[in-house]
Amino acid sequence: MKKLLLLAALVSLFYGCENMPTANKGFTVPAYQENTLAQESFFLNDSGTAYLLDILSQNIKSNAVREYESGNYFDIYMGEYLSVPCTDADTPALILAPNIQSYDAFIKNGRFYFRSLYQGVYTFSLIKEGVTGRTITVNNKSKYKISEKDLKNIVYTDYNNKNIDTLKNSVTLFKLVFPDSTDNQEAASLLFNLAVIDGNANIVRTESAFLEENYPLSSQDKMRLIAGKEKTLGNDYNLSDKYLDFNSNSPELNDYVMRNIIKRSNPTNNELLFLENVYAASPTKDLADIIGMLYFRAGNVIKGTHYSNSTNGVLPSPLNNSLITGNENNIQGENSGETTEENLGYSDFLNNYQNGISYYKDGSYAEAILLLEKSASAEGDFREKENIPFYLGDSYMMSGNYEKAKENFLFLKNTNEFFPEAMYKLGELYYKNGEKDLAIKTFEQNRDNFPGTVWGRKSSIYLLKLK
């Protein structure tokens, strides 16, 4: 099931499906028995675009819930939670959604909850012990009527004015309100292009990911995206598998990708396998030496030795991706190019995680929360998961949800590099919540356990204020 959300300014690039958060505390919107909501007219301009995004952000931050007690068709406003009783079900299954979509959908305490930032109709089957029962349809709609043509004109105006901030807002809103529009690819491309010119690394990451995940890209499109990443991100990125299908790529794209991987010199396993495919198609000593060096650097002595073993003008034979991938001679079979289910799971996890961190660094905490929560619930013991409690805690703290912030900070391991900072911020939260004794204890422990860190020293300073 494809689940991608990318907004660029305020609340969302989240991969979503059934998600079971620990709590959904917020205010409840009074129920409307007719189960339909009105849309108000709205004059759209740049300030209006920012205003509409603020409304969505507020709905996310406050965990607004709209409750209904009967029916099977429900209207909610984008960013709100729908809550309806469903005591006869334990699992929701999506059967209809917009082309670009991401959502939270889960059952808790006998009620079905749904939330998404993308406008459109979502239909779910509610399942009990494998048996499909009731069908629920949610019309997730903007509170205001917005003209697609007017918003598209604002996107073009913002791009022509070279204003990255207003363009980010208008493109974000366009994606959310018109997720089925064929113009989303062009809007995202305009934002990507301006971000490259502006040197905005976070937008380059999020918009390239949006384009890669949602649209078929030509060889020229892919080379343009790679060039933009290279200019803006330097070596700080990897290529998704969409670029690494050697057999379906054009020769020009394969050569471009190969040169990009070699230039960055820090390839992933899949990028190394791509280089092996290039070598198998057109072996040269220079490429064999490069592949050997990169495998040595990656710790794969077997492959490193093989590709470096060019003697008397005889080139190493291509391994055809027989995949001796580990340091312990793990032979994974002869099926070159196959991606295991585990690798696919890690790829999805890493995409959510990296985009969540990108939103966090950009100050877009609501969408960071949505993506990082998805990452935290992913199956697999991935190393990056150790950092998620810090990023989630800080994002919740900056969003004003102090209970969730404390919950995540307390989950962080004391061996994590972010632990001293998290404990300092936990002390702040205790103090803001009137728990002065806990605040003092936390600051004292941070001061004593991490005296050589900035956060240990800042804890000492904070204690002077409390005592």
Side-chain angles (χ1 to χ4, degrees):
M1 184 186 299
K2 180 180 178 184
K3 317 157 192 111
L4 170 64
L5 173 66
L6 266 162
L7 33 152
L10 87 175
V11 194
S12 92
L13 179 134
F14 53 89
Y15 278 86
C17 190
E18 298 85 3
N19 185 29
M20 187 71 74
T22 55
N24 291 289
K25 298 179 180 178
F27 64 86
T28 299
V29 180
Y32 291 78
Q33 294 302 317
E34 67 274 21
N35 295 355
T36 60
L37 299 174
Q39 283 185 306
E40 302 175 29
S41 299
F42 192 84
F43 176 73
L44 197 61
N45 55 21
D46 278 336
S47 60
T49 300
Y51 170 71
L52 293 176
L53 292 176
D54 285 342
I55 291 176
L56 293 177
S57 182
Q58 182 57 41
N59 283 343
I60 291 291
K61 290 178 181 178
S62 62
N63 282 331
V65 180
R66 187 172 295 274
E67 294 183 343
Y68 295 103
E69 299 305 322
S70 62
N72 293 302
Y73 186 96
F74 309 96
D75 275 8
I76 59 172
Y77 291 133
M78 295 157 61
E80 294 179 342
Y81 270 111
L82 167 73
S83 172
V84 295
C86 63
T87 54
D88 57 344
D90 53 27
T91 304
L94 181 71
I95 57 178
L96 176 68
N99 289 335
I100 302 170
Q101 43 85 10
S102 184
Y103 57 89
D104 286 330
F106 57 93
I107 294 172
K108 184 177 181 182
N109 297 330
R111 296 188 73 89
F112 170 73
Y113 290 88
F114 167 88
R115 177 171 71 174
S116 177
L117 289 170
Y118 283 107
Q119 181 168 244
V121 176
Y122 298 74
T123 300
F124 292 86
S125 289
L126 301 187
I127 301 171
K128 180 72 172 181
E129 296 178 351
V131 178
T132 300
R134 176 183 174 194
T135 298
I136 286 180
T137 297
V138 186
N139 184 19
N140 193 48
K141 62 202 291 188
S142 170
K143 186 174 182 179
Y144 298 96
K145 290 181 181 179
I146 301 171
S147 162
E148 182 174 350
K149 180 180 178 181
D150 289 347
L151 184 51
K152 185 177 177 181
N153 287 337
I154 290 177
V155 169
Y156 287 138
T157 299
D158 291 339
Y159 179 75
N160 291 331
N161 291 338
K162 307 303 178 188
N163 190 322
I164 190 73
D165 293 326
T166 58
L167 180 62
K168 178 183 175 183
N169 286 343
S170 58
V171 170
T172 295
L173 188 63
F174 195 91
K175 292 177 187 174
L176 297 180
V177 179
F178 305 110
D180 289 327
S181 173
T182 56
D183 292 321
N184 271 307
Q185 183 175 4
E186 183 179 2
S189 296
L190 291 176
L191 182 54
F192 176 85
N193 293 343
L194 190 55
V196 172
I197 295 171
D198 200 60
N200 190 310
N202 288 327
I203 294 179
V204 165
R205 289 184 189 279
T206 55
E207 295 311 301
S208 60
F210 177 84
L211 291 165
E212 291 160 2
E213 293 295 331
N214 287 283
Y215 300 102
L217 301 175
S218 68
S219 292
Q220 292 300 319
D221 290 334
K222 292 176 181 178
M223 287 188 283
R224 179 177 58 83
L225 291 176
I226 292 173
K229 291 181 181 183
E230 186 176 293
K231 180 178 179 180
T232 311
L233 306 177
N235 293 333
D236 188 21
Y237 68 96
N238 295 312
L239 296 177
S240 76
D241 290 346
K242 193 156 192 172
Y243 298 90
L244 304 177
D245 189 345
F246 178 84
N247 292 324
S248 65
N249 286 355
S250 68
E252 183 184 14
L253 178 59
N254 279 334
D255 184 70
Y256 195 87
V257 170
M258 175 194 71
R259 295 179 186 281
N260 175 267
I261 294 171
I262 292 172
K263 186 185 301 182
R264 286 185 289 111
S265 71
N266 57 348
T268 64
N269 283 337
N270 284 345
E271 289 174 344
L272 283 167
L273 296 179
F274 177 87
L275 293 182
E276 289 192 73
N277 279 323
V278 174
Y279 179 81
S282 182
T284 66
K285 183 179 185 305
D286 286 344
L287 184 54
D289 289 342
I290 289 170
I291 294 174
M293 178 268 293
L294 293 174
Y295 268 122
F296 275 126
R297 187 178 296 172
N300 191 326
V301 176
I302 295 174
K303 279 199 170 185
T305 301
H306 175 83
Y307 281 103
S308 300
N309 187 23
S310 176
T311 57
N312 299 322
V314 179
L315 296 176
S317 60
L319 291 177
N320 294 322
N321 294 346
S322 55
L323 302 193
I324 308 171
T325 58
N327 296 338
E328 285 129 31
N329 305 352
N330 296 322
I331 308 292
Q332 296 186 358
E334 296 295 329
N335 295 323
S336 66
E338 285 190 358
T339 305
T340 65
E341 184 176 347
E342 180 181 355
N343 286 338
L344 281 172
Y346 178 69
S347 178
D348 286 345
F349 161 81
L350 190 62
N351 190 56
N352 282 337
Y353 175 79
Q354 289 178 337
N355 284 312
I357 300 305
S358 180
Y359 276 120
Y360 167 83
K361 292 179 178 178
D362 197 34
S364 300
Y365 298 111
E367 61 266 45
I369 288 169
L370 291 169
L371 277 173
L372 291 169
E373 288 284 12
K374 300 296 178 185
S375 301
S377 63
E379 294 185 4
D381 187 20
F382 306 130
R383 175 178 53 82
E384 292 87 354
K385 277 190 173 184
E386 295 180 0
N387 296 332
I388 290 178
F390 170 77
Y391 289 118
L392 269 177
D394 204 26
S395 296
Y396 275 118
M397 183 175 178
M398 298 303 293
S399 300
N401 191 334
Y402 296 154
E403 288 304 312
K404 291 291 289 183
K406 288 193 289 185
E407 175 186 317
N408 278 279
F409 284 148
L410 287 169
F411 193 67
L412 196 69
K413 295 180 180 179
N414 61 9
T415 55
N416 189 277
E417 61 178 314
F418 296 113
F419 187 79
E421 182 177 355
M423 291 304 99
Y424 176 84
K425 292 183 175 183
L426 181 63
E428 285 187 309
L429 290 173
Y430 283 139
Y431 182 67
K432 289 178 180 179
N433 199 41
E435 301 171 283
K436 184 176 179 180
D437 290 342
L438 273 176
I440 291 174
K441 181 179 179 181
T442 302
F443 284 127
E444 286 178 339
Q445 290 177 342
N446 213 36
R447 175 198 63 191
D448 297 340
N449 293 334
F450 305 99
T453 68
V454 171
W455 301 103
R457 292 190 291 271
K458 290 186 71 170
S459 295
S460 298
I461 296 171
Y462 210 109
L463 283 167
L464 295 176
K465 170 183 174 181
L466 299 183
K467 293 184 175 180

